[in-house]
Coordinates of all heavy atoms in Angstrom, one line a residue:
P1166 N 0.8 -1.2 0.0 CA 0.0 0.0 0.0 C 0.9 1.3 0.0 O 2.0 1.2 0.4 CB -0.8 -0.1 1.3 CG 0.0 -1.0 2.2 CD 0.8 -1.9 1.3
L1167 N 0.3 2.3 -0.4 CA 1.0 3.6 -0.5 C 0.2 4.6 0.4 O -1.1 4.8 0.2 CB 1.1 4.1 -1.9 CG 1.7 5.5 -2.1 CD1 3.2 5.4 -1.8 CD2 1.5 6.0 -3.5
Y1168 N 0.9 5.3 1.3 CA 0.2 6.3 2.1 C 0.8 7.7 1.7 O 2.0 7.8 1.4 CB 0.5 6.0 3.6 CG -0.2 4.8 4.1 CD1 0.5 3.6 3.9 CD2 -1.4 4.8 4.7 CE1 -0.1 2.4 4.3 CE2 -2.0 3.6 5.1 CZ -1.4 2.4 4.9 OH -2.0 1.3 5.3
T1169 N 0.0 8.7 1.9 CA 0.5 10.1 1.6 C 0.0 11.1 2.6 O -1.1 10.9 3.2 CB 0.2 10.5 0.1 OG1 0.9 11.7 -0.2 CG2 -1.3 10.7 0.0
I1170 N 0.8 12.1 2.8 CA 0.4 13.2 3.7 C 1.2 14.4 3.2 O 2.3 14.3 2.6 CB 0.8 12.8 5.2 CG1 0.2 13.8 6.2 CG2 2.3 12.7 5.3 CD1 0.4 13.3 7.6
V1171 N 0.6 15.6 3.5 CA 1.3 16.8 3.2 C 1.9 17.5 4.4 O 1.3 17.6 5.4 CB 0.3 17.9 2.5 CG1 1.0 19.2 2.2 CG2 -0.3 17.3 1.3
D1172 N 3.2 17.9 4.3 CA 3.8 18.7 5.4 C 3.4 20.1 5.2 O 3.9 20.8 4.3 CB 5.3 18.5 5.3 CG 6.0 19.3 6.5 OD1 5.3 20.0 7.2 OD2 7.2 19.1 6.6
K1173 N 2.4 20.5 5.9 CA 1.9 21.9 5.7 C 2.8 23.0 6.3 O 2.6 24.1 6.0 CB 0.5 22.0 6.4 CG -0.5 21.0 5.7 CD -1.9 21.1 6.3 CE -2.6 22.4 5.9 NZ -4.1 22.4 6.2
E1174 N 3.8 22.6 7.0 CA 4.8 23.5 7.4 C 5.7 24.0 6.3 O 6.2 25.1 6.3 CB 5.7 22.9 8.5 CG 5.0 22.5 9.8 CD 4.5 23.7 10.5 OE1 5.1 24.7 10.5 OE2 3.3 23.6 11.0
T1175 N 5.8 23.2 5.2 CA 6.7 23.6 4.1 C 5.9 23.8 2.8 O 6.5 24.4 1.9 CB 7.8 22.5 3.9 OG1 7.1 21.2 3.6 CG2 8.7 22.3 5.1
C1176 N 4.7 23.5 2.8 CA 3.8 23.7 1.6 C 3.8 25.2 1.4 O 3.6 26.0 2.3 CB 2.4 23.2 1.8 SG 1.3 23.6 0.5
I1177 N 4.0 25.6 0.1 CA 3.9 27.1 -0.2 C 2.6 27.4 -1.1 O 2.6 28.4 -1.7 CB 5.1 27.5 -1.0 CG1 5.4 26.7 -2.2 CG2 6.4 27.5 0.0 CD1 6.5 27.3 -3.1
A1178 N 1.7 26.5 -1.1 CA 0.4 26.7 -1.7 C 0.6 26.9 -3.2 O -0.1 27.7 -3.8 CB -0.4 27.9 -1.1
C1179 N 1.5 26.1 -3.8 CA 1.8 26.4 -5.2 C 0.7 25.8 -6.1 O 0.5 26.2 -7.2 CB 3.1 25.8 -5.6 SG 3.1 24.0 -6.0
G1180 N 0.0 24.8 -5.6 CA -1.2 24.2 -6.3 C -0.9 23.1 -7.3 O -1.8 22.7 -8.0
A1181 N 0.4 22.7 -7.4 CA 0.7 21.6 -8.4 C 0.1 20.3 -8.1 O -0.3 19.5 -8.9 CB 2.2 21.5 -8.6
C1182 N 0.1 20.0 -6.8 CA -0.3 18.6 -6.4 C -1.8 18.3 -6.7 O -2.1 17.2 -7.1 CB 0.0 18.4 -4.9 SG -0.7 19.6 -3.8
G1183 N -2.6 19.3 -6.5 CA -4.0 19.1 -6.8 C -4.3 19.0 -8.3 O -5.3 18.4 -8.7
A1184 N -3.4 19.6 -9.1 CA -3.6 19.4 -10.5 C -3.2 18.0 -10.9 O -3.8 17.4 -11.8 CB -2.7 20.5 -11.3
S1185 N -2.2 17.5 -10.3 CA -1.7 16.1 -10.6 C -2.7 15.0 -10.0 O -2.9 14.0 -10.7 CB -0.3 15.9 -10.0 OG 0.6 16.7 -10.7
A1186 N -3.2 15.3 -8.8 CA -4.0 14.3 -8.2 C -5.2 14.9 -7.5 O -5.3 15.0 -6.3 CB -3.1 13.5 -7.1
P1187 N -6.1 15.3 -8.3 CA -7.3 16.1 -7.8 C -8.2 15.3 -6.9 O -8.9 15.9 -6.1 CB -8.1 16.5 -9.1 CG -7.6 15.6 -10.1 CD -6.2 15.2 -9.8
D1188 N -8.1 14.0 -7.0 CA -9.0 13.2 -6.1 C -8.3 12.9 -4.7 O -8.9 12.4 -3.8 CB -9.3 11.8 -6.7 CG -10.2 12.0 -7.9 OD1 -11.1 12.8 -7.9 OD2 -9.9 11.3 -8.9
I1189 N -7.0 13.3 -4.6 CA -6.3 13.1 -3.4 C -6.0 14.3 -2.6 O -6.2 14.4 -1.4 CB -4.9 12.4 -3.7 CG1 -5.2 11.0 -4.4 CG2 -4.1 12.2 -2.4 CD1 -5.9 10.0 -3.6
F1190 N -5.6 15.4 -3.3 CA -5.2 16.6 -2.6 C -6.2 17.7 -2.8 O -6.7 17.9 -3.9 CB -3.8 17.1 -3.1 CG -2.7 16.0 -2.9 CD1 -2.2 15.3 -3.9 CD2 -2.3 15.8 -1.6 CE1 -1.2 14.3 -3.7 CE2 -1.3 14.8 -1.3 CZ -0.8 14.0 -2.4
D1191 N -6.5 18.4 -1.7 CA -7.4 19.6 -1.8 C -6.7 20.7 -1.0 O -5.6 20.4 -0.4 CB -8.7 19.2 -1.1 CG -9.8 20.2 -1.5 OD1 -9.5 21.1 -2.3 OD2 -11.0 19.9 -1.1
Y1192 N -7.2 21.8 -1.0 CA -6.6 23.0 -0.3 C -7.4 23.6 0.8 O -8.7 23.7 0.6 CB -6.3 24.1 -1.4 CG -5.5 23.5 -2.5 CD1 -6.1 23.3 -3.8 CD2 -4.1 23.1 -2.4 CE1 -5.4 22.7 -4.8 CE2 -3.4 22.6 -3.4 CZ -4.1 22.4 -4.7 OH -3.4 21.8 -5.7
D1193 N -6.8 24.1 1.8 CA -7.5 24.7 2.9 C -7.7 26.2 2.5 O -7.4 26.6 1.4 CB -6.8 24.5 4.2 CG -5.5 25.3 4.3 OD1 -5.2 26.2 3.5 OD2 -4.7 25.0 5.3
D1194 N -8.2 27.0 3.5 CA -8.6 28.4 3.2 C -7.4 29.2 2.9 O -7.5 30.3 2.2 CB -9.3 29.0 4.4 CG -10.7 28.4 4.7 OD1 -11.2 27.8 3.7 OD2 -11.2 28.6 5.8
E1195 N -6.2 28.7 3.3 CA -5.0 29.5 3.0 C -4.3 29.0 1.7 O -3.2 29.4 1.3 CB -4.0 29.4 4.1 CG -4.5 30.0 5.4 CD -3.6 29.9 6.6 OE1 -2.8 28.9 6.6 OE2 -3.7 30.7 7.5
G1196 N -4.9 28.0 1.1 CA -4.3 27.4 -0.2 C -3.3 26.3 0.1 O -2.7 25.8 -0.8
L1197 N -3.2 26.0 1.4 CA -2.2 24.9 1.7 C -2.9 23.5 1.4 O -4.1 23.3 1.7 CB -1.8 25.0 3.2 CG -1.1 26.3 3.6 CD1 -0.8 26.2 5.1 CD2 0.2 26.5 2.8
S1198 N -2.1 22.6 0.9 CA -2.6 21.3 0.5 C -2.8 20.4 1.7 O -2.1 20.5 2.7 CB -1.6 20.7 -0.5 OG -2.0 19.4 -0.8
F1199 N -3.7 19.5 1.5 CA -3.9 18.4 2.5 C -4.4 17.2 1.8 O -5.1 17.3 0.7 CB -4.8 18.8 3.7 CG -6.2 19.0 3.3 CD1 -7.2 18.0 3.4 CD2 -6.6 20.3 2.9 CE1 -8.5 18.3 3.0 CE2 -8.0 20.6 2.6 CZ -8.9 19.5 2.6
C1200 N -4.1 16.0 2.3 CA -4.7 14.8 1.8 C -6.1 14.6 2.2 O -6.4 14.5 3.4 CB -3.8 13.6 2.3 SG -4.6 12.0 1.7
Q1201 N -7.0 14.6 1.2 CA -8.4 14.6 1.6 C -9.0 13.2 1.9 O -10.1 13.0 2.3 CB -9.3 15.2 0.5 CG -9.1 14.6 -0.9 CD -9.9 15.4 -1.9 OE1 -11.1 15.6 -1.8 NE2 -9.2 15.8 -3.0
L1202 N -8.1 12.2 1.8 CA -8.6 10.8 2.1 C -8.9 10.7 3.6 O -9.8 10.0 4.0 CB -7.5 9.8 1.8 CG -7.2 9.5 0.3 CD1 -6.0 8.6 0.2 CD2 -8.4 9.0 -0.4
D1203 N -8.1 11.4 4.4 CA -8.2 11.2 5.9 C -7.8 12.4 6.7 O -7.2 12.4 7.7 CB -7.2 10.1 6.3 CG -5.8 10.3 5.6 OD1 -5.5 11.4 5.3 OD2 -5.1 9.3 5.5
K1204 N -8.2 13.6 6.1 CA -7.9 14.9 6.7 C -6.4 15.0 7.0 O -6.0 15.5 8.1 CB -8.8 15.1 8.0 CG -10.3 15.1 7.7 CD -11.1 15.3 9.0 CE -12.6 15.4 8.7 NZ -13.4 15.2 9.9
N1205 N -5.6 14.6 6.1 CA -4.2 14.7 6.2 C -3.5 14.0 7.4 O -2.6 14.5 8.0 CB -3.8 16.2 6.2 CG -2.4 16.4 5.5 OD1 -2.1 15.9 4.5 ND2 -1.5 17.2 6.2
Q1206 N -4.1 12.8 7.7 CA -3.4 12.1 8.7 C -2.5 11.0 8.2 O -1.7 10.4 8.9 CB -4.5 11.4 9.6 CG -5.4 12.4 10.3 CD -4.5 13.3 11.2 OE1 -3.8 12.8 12.2 NE2 -4.4 14.6 10.9
G1207 N -2.6 10.7 6.8 CA -1.7 9.7 6.2 C -2.0 8.3 6.8 O -1.1 7.5 6.9
I1208 N -3.3 8.0 7.1 CA -3.6 6.7 7.7 C -4.4 5.8 6.8 O -4.6 4.7 7.0 CB -4.4 6.9 9.0 CG1 -5.6 7.7 8.8 CG2 -3.5 7.5 10.1 CD1 -6.5 7.9 10.1
E1209 N -4.9 6.4 5.7 CA -5.7 5.6 4.7 C -4.9 5.5 3.4 O -4.5 6.4 2.8 CB -7.1 6.4 4.4 CG -8.0 5.6 3.6 CD -9.4 6.1 3.6 OE1 -9.9 6.7 4.6 OE2 -10.1 6.0 2.5
A1210 N -4.8 4.2 3.0 CA -4.0 3.9 1.8 C -4.6 4.6 0.6 O -5.8 4.6 0.4 CB -3.9 2.4 1.6
V1211 N -3.7 5.0 -0.3 CA -4.2 5.6 -1.6 C -4.8 4.5 -2.4 O -4.2 3.4 -2.5 CB -2.9 6.2 -2.3 CG1 -3.3 6.7 -3.7 CG2 -2.3 7.3 -1.5
P1212 N -5.9 4.7 -3.0 CA -6.5 3.7 -3.9 C -5.5 3.4 -5.0 O -4.9 4.2 -5.5 CB -7.8 4.4 -4.4 CG -8.2 5.4 -3.4 CD -6.8 5.9 -2.8
D1213 N -5.5 2.1 -5.4 CA -4.5 1.6 -6.4 C -4.5 2.4 -7.6 O -3.5 2.8 -8.2 CB -4.8 0.1 -6.7 CG -4.4 -0.8 -5.6 OD1 -3.7 -0.4 -4.7 OD2 -4.8 -2.0 -5.7
N1214 N -5.7 2.8 -8.1 CA -5.8 3.5 -9.4 C -5.5 4.9 -9.3 O -5.5 5.6 -10.3 CB -7.3 3.3 -9.9 CG -8.3 4.0 -9.1 OD1 -8.1 4.4 -8.0 ND2 -9.5 4.1 -9.6
M1215 N -5.1 5.4 -8.1 CA -4.7 6.8 -8.0 C -3.2 6.9 -7.6 O -2.7 8.0 -7.4 CB -5.5 7.5 -6.9 CG -7.0 7.6 -7.3 SD -8.0 8.4 -6.1 CE -9.7 8.0 -6.7
E1216 N -2.5 5.8 -7.5 CA -1.1 5.8 -7.0 C -0.2 6.6 -8.0 O 0.6 7.3 -7.6 CB -0.6 4.4 -6.9 CG -1.1 3.7 -5.6 CD -0.4 2.4 -5.3 OE1 0.5 2.0 -6.1 OE2 -0.7 1.8 -4.2
D1217 N -0.5 6.4 -9.3 CA 0.3 7.1 -10.3 C 0.1 8.6 -10.2 O 1.1 9.4 -10.3 CB 0.0 6.7 -11.7 CG 0.5 5.3 -12.1 OD1 1.4 4.8 -11.3 OD2 0.1 4.7 -13.1
D1218 N -1.1 9.1 -10.0 CA -1.3 10.5 -9.8 C -0.6 11.0 -8.6 O 0.0 12.1 -8.6 CB -2.8 10.8 -9.5 CG -3.6 10.6 -10.8 OD1 -3.1 10.4 -11.9 OD2 -4.9 10.7 -10.7
V1219 N -0.6 10.3 -7.5 CA 0.1 10.7 -6.3 C 1.7 10.7 -6.5 O 2.3 11.6 -6.0 CB -0.2 9.8 -5.1 CG1 0.7 10.0 -3.9 CG2 -1.7 10.0 -4.7
L1220 N 2.2 9.8 -7.3 CA 3.6 9.8 -7.6 C 3.9 11.0 -8.4 O 5.0 11.7 -8.2 CB 4.0 8.5 -8.3 CG 4.0 7.3 -7.5 CD1 4.2 6.0 -8.3 CD2 5.1 7.3 -6.4
D1221 N 3.1 11.4 -9.4 CA 3.3 12.6 -10.1 C 3.3 13.8 -9.2 O 4.1 14.8 -9.4 CB 2.2 12.8 -11.2 CG 2.3 11.8 -12.4 OD1 3.4 11.2 -12.5 OD2 1.4 11.7 -13.1
A1222 N 2.4 13.9 -8.3 CA 2.3 15.0 -7.3 C 3.6 15.1 -6.5 O 4.2 16.2 -6.3 CB 1.1 14.9 -6.5
Y1223 N 4.0 13.9 -6.0 CA 5.2 13.8 -5.2 C 6.4 14.4 -6.0 O 7.2 15.2 -5.5 CB 5.5 12.4 -4.9 CG 6.8 12.0 -4.3 CD1 7.0 12.3 -2.9 CD2 7.8 11.5 -5.0 CE1 8.3 12.0 -2.3 CE2 9.0 11.2 -4.5 CZ 9.3 11.4 -3.1 OH 10.5 11.1 -2.6
E1224 N 6.5 14.0 -7.3 CA 7.7 14.4 -8.1 C 7.6 15.9 -8.4 O 8.6 16.6 -8.6 CB 7.8 13.6 -9.3 CG 8.2 12.2 -9.0 CD 8.1 11.2 -10.2 OE1 7.8 11.7 -11.3 OE2 8.4 10.0 -10.0
G1225 N 6.4 16.4 -8.5 CA 6.2 17.8 -8.9 C 6.2 18.9 -7.9 O 6.3 20.1 -8.2
C1226 N 6.1 18.5 -6.6 CA 6.1 19.5 -5.5 C 7.4 20.2 -5.4 O 8.4 19.5 -5.1 CB 5.7 18.8 -4.2 SG 5.6 20.0 -2.9
P1227 N 7.4 21.5 -5.5 CA 8.7 22.2 -5.5 C 9.4 22.3 -4.1 O 10.6 22.6 -4.0 CB 8.3 23.6 -6.0 CG 6.9 23.8 -5.6 CD 6.3 22.4 -5.8
T1228 N 8.6 22.0 -3.1 CA 9.2 22.1 -1.7 C 9.3 20.7 -1.1 O 9.5 20.6 0.1 CB 8.4 23.0 -0.9 OG1 7.0 22.5 -0.8 CG2 8.4 24.4 -1.4
D1229 N 9.1 19.6 -1.8 CA 9.1 18.3 -1.3 C 8.2 18.1 -0.1 O 8.5 17.4 0.9 CB 10.5 17.9 -0.9 CG 11.5 17.7 -2.1 OD1 11.0 17.5 -3.2 OD2 12.7 17.9 -1.9
S1230 N 7.0 18.7 -0.2 CA 6.0 18.7 0.9 C 5.1 17.5 0.9 O 4.4 17.2 1.9 CB 5.2 20.0 0.9 OG 6.0 21.1 1.1
I1231 N 5.1 16.8 -0.3 CA 4.3 15.6 -0.4 C 5.1 14.4 0.1 O 6.2 14.2 -0.4 CB 3.9 15.3 -1.9 CG1 3.2 16.5 -2.5 CG2 3.0 14.0 -2.0 CD1 1.8 16.8 -2.1
K1232 N 4.7 13.8 1.2 CA 5.4 12.7 1.7 C 4.7 11.4 1.3 O 3.5 11.3 1.3 CB 5.4 12.8 3.3 CG 6.0 14.1 3.8 CD 7.4 14.4 3.3 CE 7.9 15.7 3.9 NZ 9.2 16.1 3.4
L1233 N 5.5 10.4 1.1 CA 5.0 9.0 0.7 C 5.6 8.0 1.6 O 6.8 8.1 2.0 CB 5.4 8.7 -0.7 CG 4.9 9.6 -1.9 CD1 5.4 9.1 -3.2 CD2 3.4 9.8 -1.8
S1234 N 4.9 6.9 1.9 CA 5.4 5.8 2.7 C 4.6 4.6 2.4 O 3.4 4.6 2.0 CB 5.3 6.2 4.2 OG 5.8 5.1 5.0
K1235 N 5.2 3.4 2.6 CA 4.5 2.2 2.5 C 3.7 1.8 3.8 O 2.9 0.9 3.8 CB 5.5 1.0 2.2 CG 6.2 1.1 0.9 CD 7.0 -0.1 0.6 CE 7.9 0.0 -0.6 NZ 7.3 0.4 -1.8
T1236 N 3.9 2.6 4.8 CA 3.2 2.4 6.1 C 2.6 3.7 6.5 O 2.9 4.8 6.1 CB 4.1 1.9 7.2 OG1 5.2 2.9 7.4 CG2 4.8 0.6 6.8
S1237 N 1.6 3.6 7.4 CA 0.8 4.7 7.9 C 1.7 5.8 8.5 O 2.6 5.5 9.2 CB -0.2 4.3 8.9 OG -0.9 5.4 9.5
F1238 N 1.3 7.1 8.3 CA 2.0 8.2 8.9 C 1.5 8.5 10.3 O 2.1 9.2 11.1 CB 1.8 9.5 8.0 CG 2.7 9.5 6.8 CD1 2.2 9.0 5.6 CD2 4.0 10.0 6.9 CE1 3.0 9.0 4.5 CE2 4.8 10.0 5.7 CZ 4.3 9.5 4.5
N1239 N 0.3 8.0 10.6 CA -0.3 8.3 11.9 C -0.2 9.8 12.2 O 0.0 10.2 13.4 CB 0.4 7.5 13.0 CG 0.0 6.0 12.9 OD1 -1.1 5.7 12.7 ND2 1.0 5.2 13.1
G1240 N -0.4 10.6 11.2 CA -0.5 12.1 11.4 C 0.8 12.8 11.4 O 0.8 14.0 11.5
N1241 N 1.9 12.1 11.3 CA 3.2 12.7 11.4 C 4.0 12.7 10.0 O 4.5 11.7 9.7 CB 4.1 12.0 12.4 CG 5.5 12.6 12.5 OD1 5.8 13.7 11.9 ND2 6.4 12.0 13.2
P1242 N 4.0 13.8 9.3 CA 4.6 13.9 8.0 C 6.1 13.6 8.0 O 6.7 13.3 7.0 CB 4.3 15.2 7.4 CG 3.8 16.1 8.6 CD 3.3 15.1 9.6
L1243 N 6.7 13.8 9.2 CA 8.2 13.7 9.3 C 8.6 12.4 9.9 O 9.7 12.2 10.3 CB 8.7 14.9 10.1 CG 8.4 16.3 9.6 CD1 9.0 17.3 10.5 CD2 8.9 16.4 8.1
K1244 N 7.7 11.4 9.9 CA 8.0 10.1 10.6 C 9.3 9.4 10.1 O 9.9 8.7 10.8 CB 6.8 9.2 10.6 CG 6.6 8.5 9.3 CD 5.5 7.5 9.3 CE 5.3 6.8 8.0 NZ 6.0 5.5 7.9
D1245 N 9.5 9.6 8.8 CA 10.7 8.9 8.2 C 11.9 9.8 8.1 O 12.9 9.4 7.5 CB 10.3 8.4 6.8 CG 9.3 7.3 6.8 OD1 9.3 6.6 7.8 OD2 8.6 7.1 5.8
E1246 N 11.8 11.0 8.7 CA 13.0 12.0 8.5 C 13.7 12.2 9.8 O 13.3 11.8 10.8 CB 12.4 13.3 7.9 CG 11.8 13.0 6.5 CD 11.2 14.2 5.8 OE1 11.6 15.3 6.2 OE2 10.4 14.0 4.9
Ligands
F3S1308 FE1 2.0 22.6 -1.5 FE2 3.7 21.2 -2.9 FE3 1.1 21.0 -3.3 S1 4.0 23.3 -2.3 S2 0.3 23.0 -2.8 S3 2.2 20.4 -1.4 S4 2.7 20.9 -4.8

């Protein structure tokens, strides 16, 4: 499985991720991205048919704010760092 979460501390609201994966990433009132699967907790696996979109978003984020993991983030985008 693939899990994703946005580090909102480093997101600069550029908007690229939602263009790549509109079913996964949405924006808050400040334009900061979050994973809409689970209110940005990184606990719900990305549906198989959306993994490619999420990989595109990961590669396209200018601030490396999209985090990916094979295991749950449990709400912590920096768990692997
Ligand atoms: Fe933010 Fe990166 Fe998306 S800067 S809006 S997480 S592409």
Side-chain angles (χ1 to χ4, degrees):
L1167 179 70
Y1168 296 83
T1169 187
I1170 191 171
V1171 177
D1172 183 351
K1173 296 182 76 167
E1174 296 296 322
T1175 56
C1176 173
I1177 56 170
C1179 83
C1182 53
S1185 294
D1188 295 320
I1189 301 295
F1190 300 106
D1191 199 358
Y1192 307 106
D1193 68 14
D1194 291 344
E1195 297 177 335
L1197 299 178
S1198 176
F1199 65 93
C1200 175
Q1201 56 182 308
L1202 292 175
D1203 49 22
K1204 296 182 179 163
N1205 208 47
Q1206 294 303 295
I1208 56 178
E1209 185 166 327
V1211 174
D1213 288 348
N1214 64 349
M1215 296 178 192
E1216 286 190 358
D1217 285 348
D1218 287 353
V1219 170
L1220 289 170
D1221 285 347
Y1223 170 79
E1224 290 170 4
C1226 178
T1228 59
D1229 294 333
S1230 298
I1231 307 285
K1232 306 301 183 184
L1233 302 181
S1234 180
K1235 294 185 189 313
T1236 58
S1237 172
F1238 283 92
N1239 290 318
N1241 178 11
L1243 302 182
K1244 76 176 180 92
D1245 290 335
E1246 299 180 19

